[in-house]
Amino acid sequence: MTTRILPAVGDPDAARAVTTLIGQLPDAEPAGPVTDSTQLVDTLARLAAGSVDDLPEVVLVHERIGPVPALELIREVALRFPAVGVVLITADASPVLFSAAMDSGARGLVTLPLGYEELASRVQAAAQWSAGVRRHLGAAADTPTGPGGTVVTVSGAKGGVGTTVTAVHLALAARASGRAVALVDMDLQGGDIASYLDVQFRRSLADLAAISDISPRVLQDAVYVHETGLSLLLAPGEGERGEEVTDRSARQIVSALRGRYEVVVIDCGTHLDAAGAAAVEMADAALLVTTPDVVAVRAAKRAVRMWDRLQVRKPEETTVLVNRHTRGTEIQPALIQKITGTRIAGVAVPAQFKELAAVVDAGRLHDLDARSTIKQALWALAGELGLVKAGEQQSRELVRAPERGALGLRRRGTGR
């Protein structure tokens, strides 16, 4: 049996050494090395889109891979792609590291400098384990390739651009089409989802931050089930507790939610902290909300460049939503796309704040009238992002573009 091996090694010299050695293994089919954690996860996700059989049997993760630390990366791969055997390459052969690697989901550990016999043994064991998992899954073409919910993050270019309203209605649209949906408030110091949905609940993200293994029962205890059917995971009521939610705990929380819900919508607010950066990096789609004015567009450009510098998200992998759009404004979506270098959403939300005033003041955002052009635009956006179930009459109603000219819809291709 041929064993497909994908090395994840950042250092060019180490990558050449690893590739040369695995090329000597019997029945091995080495792939070109990926150089960072983002590229690894993106590569696996792309392969998994077809079938579990398209994934490599073994992934080799070098200890100096970045920007995500190796053990956290192994944990994410093990959770999202459980049919892949992960082997850690490290110079530290201590029992402590071995135990930590196994806890993270690694199937083996190879010490540096690499030796043929040890590498062959670890790869063979990981490949056999991978084959066993795939047999158990039935290797069907439609077998889920991991805890497979869709994760969408919503971030604001600056305060007041409509980030939370957007996140809430994306989640409501997905829920209305019959999906199991979690709405997460990761604006850790200024989150307002509880206020917008008239919720009082003492549990929050901070209660999950110190838990290393988030079981379904633990997650259920931290979630508030709203009258709309949304499962809410709220920001802590005391802003200072937001510091308890680290990038590592954020990754664990997002992975746990992805495994339990079909759609996870995360409100990341406007301030990029470690937890929010981890969520944006892990997301299947990252939405950046801006308004068509100079200050907000400049802020959007800064945010996009910062995400790129920090290797959180590439500009071309970010979608910008234009809120409060009017046909008469000088700054149109096409110009914003050119300035930011991002994709632009096919829907622009109209400047009709009067439609929102009553439900926002009442804390009943979910009661927004179905005739509202804002609601129609945001629910159409949910369809564009693939958050509603396709092929159902209700879904077609949800994503149907309204006929009102104020909406500012533009015809676009389906590729995104």
Side-chain angles (χ1 to χ4, degrees):
M1 182 187 74
T2 301
T3 301
R4 293 164 295 180
I5 305 171
L6 176 61
V9 186
D11 180 72
D13 293 334
R16 282 192 293 270
V18 171
T19 303
T20 300
L21 192 55
I22 62 178
Q24 299 173 11
L25 301 179
D27 299 321
E29 183 182 310
V34 295
T35 58
D36 59 50
S37 57
T38 301
Q39 189 180 1
L40 173 61
V41 174
D42 288 348
T43 299
L44 293 176
R46 184 176 66 255
L47 294 171
S51 165
V52 65
D53 287 333
D54 294 333
L55 289 166
E57 283 75 24
V58 179
V59 169
L60 301 176
V61 176
H62 193 275
E63 62 180 352
R64 294 184 181 177
I65 194 72
V68 176
L71 292 182
E72 293 183 24
L73 178 60
I74 290 171
R75 182 184 297 273
E76 182 176 351
V77 171
L79 285 169
R80 291 187 61 182
F81 312 101
V84 175
V86 186
V87 176
L88 175 64
I89 300 175
T90 177
D92 182 3
S94 68
V96 173
L97 180 64
F98 182 84
S99 177
M102 297 303 105
D103 289 343
S104 296
R107 306 308 308 173
L109 185 149
V110 179
T111 56
L112 292 169
L114 291 177
Y116 177 87
E117 295 295 337
E118 184 184 19
L119 180 62
S121 173
R122 298 293 181 269
V123 166
Q124 182 181 18
Q128 290 174 348
W129 178 87
S130 174
V133 171
R134 296 178 196 211
R135 283 194 300 271
H136 177 72
L137 292 175
D142 58 349
T143 299
T145 55
T150 299
V151 177
V152 176
T153 56
V154 184
S155 306
K158 67 180 189 66
V161 296
T163 309
T164 300
V165 171
T166 299
V168 169
H169 273 282
L170 289 179
L172 288 171
R175 178 58 190 157
S177 77
R179 291 186 179 272
V181 182
L183 176 59
V184 184
D185 197 343
M186 207 169 278
D187 186 357
L188 297 173
Q189 294 186 347
D192 285 322
I193 285 179
S195 299
Y196 276 107
L197 295 178
D198 192 24
V199 170
Q200 292 184 354
F201 190 60
R202 63 186 181 86
R203 298 290 179 87
S204 73
L205 279 162
D207 295 305
L208 297 177
I211 301 175
S212 58
D213 185 13
I214 302 175
S215 66
R217 178 62 182 272
V218 169
L219 186 61
Q220 181 180 356
D221 289 342
V223 164
Y224 177 88
V225 181
H226 191 255
E227 62 185 79
T228 58
L230 293 178
S231 295
L232 306 180
L233 186 53
L234 302 172
E238 304 81 16
E240 64 274 14
R241 291 199 65 196
E243 297 181 358
E244 299 174 21
V245 185
T246 64
D247 57 339
R248 179 175 182 177
S249 57
R251 291 180 185 281
Q252 293 173 346
I253 291 169
V254 173
S255 294
L257 290 166
R258 191 195 293 271
R260 186 172 178 83
Y261 296 94
E262 294 177 86
V263 174
V264 181
V265 180
I266 305 175
D267 180 356
C268 293
T270 59
H271 173 69
L272 184 69
D273 53 20
V280 171
E281 183 183 0
M282 293 179 68
D284 298 290
L287 196 65
L288 182 63
V289 184
T290 186
T291 48
D293 57 85
V294 172
V295 174
V297 173
R298 284 178 176 172
K301 183 178 180 180
R302 286 197 303 270
V304 169
R305 288 184 172 181
M306 179 170 62
W307 289 2
D308 192 26
R309 288 196 304 272
L310 297 177
Q311 297 184 349
V312 171
R313 199 89 182 180
K314 297 176 182 178
E316 59 271 21
E317 296 173 349
T318 302
T319 301
V320 169
L321 172 67
V322 181
N323 188 22
R324 299 175 197 152
H325 173 264
T326 61
R327 291 182 176 179
T329 184
E330 293 184 8
I331 302 178
Q332 291 294 320
L335 178 59
I336 296 174
Q337 181 178 26
K338 182 178 180 180
I339 291 172
T340 60
T342 62
R343 303 170 182 170
I344 204 77
V347 174
V349 183
Q352 298 289 343
F353 182 75
K354 288 183 179 179
E355 298 176 356
L356 288 172
V359 293
V360 168
D361 291 343
R364 303 280 298 181
L365 190 58
H366 49 292
D367 288 340
L368 184 61
D369 195 304
R371 294 171 295 179
S372 162
T373 57
I374 292 177
K375 180 173 182 176
Q376 291 177 22
L378 291 175
W379 286 39
L381 175 64
E384 180 182 335
L385 295 174
L387 303 185
V388 298
K389 287 185 178 179
E392 297 182 2
Q393 179 63 33
Q394 183 182 23
S395 297
R396 291 195 294 269
E397 292 295 323
L398 290 174
V399 303
R400 183 181 58 194
E403 297 175 356
R404 299 188 185 185
L407 190 59
L409 293 180
R410 301 187 313 286
R411 299 282 183 184
R412 296 185 66 202
T414 57
R416 61 178 182 84

